[in-house]
Amino acid sequence: MESPSDRAPDPGPAEDLAHHHAPGTRVTYRARQRGLDLTAWLRIALHLPGFLLSLALVAAAALALEAWAGLPAWATVALWAGSGALVFHRPTEERIARHLLRLHRPLPHERAVLDPVWREVTARAGVDGGRYELWIEDSNDLNALAAAGHIVGVTRCALERLPRSQLAAVLAHELGHHTAGHAWAGLLGQWYGLPARAAWLALARVRVRAARSLSPTSVVVITAVGGYLTYRTLAATYGLPLLLLALPWLAAAVGRRAELRADAHAAGLGFAPMLTELLRRSMSEEETEGEESRLLDRLLSSHPDHRTRIHHLQPYLNRDTPQGGHPLG
């Protein structure tokens, strides 16, 4: 982080960022710019059952390929295991951004807005902003995202509607996902769980088609046999497979905790007032439109509700300095 003499006063909640770090301004970067917080480790742990099932499927396919084409099974498994490194491969990330996330590079007028704000955010965090790629999503929603190893996306609506101070708060939140390891941990979990999910979907389709062609008696017999085998499996494993039923709920809870951690990162950089104002405005708009989520939806949501996020930001609103002890005004 730069010294207090290098930092201009922080803008208030309703003001735009009037200060941006000029190219000649001295900025000190932290030696350790990435890490893995507890929520990232928990996210990886929750993806472990899917990874193990995927590994078993890949190993079975590798053995079949070895018997058919003579390709060593270990090489196929090793290739799949090492494919997760593509999360940090810039050309692969670009394809993910363009074709999977439907993002595009900022146009010159969009970059003129984004670049100074991003420099301010990353300078406060002591992070080299040049390591990340900024992208735009053509959407009418106020939203942003962090993905893969270096992707930071923001919607066109957020870019055009938000004051620069609130845009900085949003970008600081997404930077928090990257520096805490949330972004790449989540994508790695999804990637390594892909074979298991594909097999489950294929099995579900086969089951539906088979059920349509079977007689009612056959369906009853198959259901009874399946129920008995399930019971025996649960009895032999002390009911441990039932924990898989809790994975969606646990994953949602970890996702909500990750969002609060990213909020804390932005607040620690001095953006708590801006983020709070943005959340209050979003909450007010939802109440005006009569949107009210059910309890079940909230429990399965990866994002906490606005009131919860505002509540966790309250302690930061009374602080005069961000984390690191550098005064803002």
Side-chain angles (χ1 to χ4, degrees), residues 62-222:
L63 291 173
L65 187 61
E66 182 178 29
W68 176 65
L71 185 65
W74 67 265
T76 302
V77 174
L79 184 63
W80 173 77
S83 63
L86 294 175
V87 170
F88 293 96
H89 183 237
R90 294 300 182 101
T92 303
E93 282 189 321
E94 182 169 354
R95 290 179 174 84
I96 291 174
R98 291 186 184 278
H99 304 296
L100 184 62
L101 302 177
R102 304 295 182 183
L103 307 177
H104 66 78
R105 296 283 188 181
L107 299 175
H109 70 279
E110 295 169 333
R111 188 167 289 282
V113 175
L114 270 179
D115 283 354
V117 178
W118 182 243
R119 282 198 300 270
E120 172 71 20
V121 169
T122 54
R124 291 191 185 195
V127 170
D128 183 4
R131 295 186 176 187
Y132 299 92
E133 299 286 344
L134 298 176
W135 294 83
I136 303 295
E137 179 185 0
D138 286 322
S139 172
N140 293 323
D141 296 329
L142 289 174
N143 200 8
L145 62 92
H150 306 91
I151 295 174
V152 177
V154 63
T155 61
R156 176 173 41 80
C157 178
L159 188 66
E160 294 175 351
R161 287 183 54 189
L162 292 181
R164 293 192 179 185
S165 59
Q166 293 182 8
L167 178 61
V170 170
L171 291 177
H173 172 97
E174 302 307 330
L175 179 62
H177 282 310
H178 274 299
T179 57
H182 303 160
W184 67 261
L187 187 57
L188 272 184
Q190 294 177 6
W191 170 252
Y192 283 122
L194 186 59
R197 291 196 300 274
W200 177 259
L201 290 175
L203 181 62
R205 291 181 179 178
V206 170
R207 184 175 56 187
V208 170
R209 292 180 180 177
R212 292 175 179 174
S213 61
L214 294 175
S215 65
T217 304
S218 300
V219 172
V220 171
V221 171
I222 293 175

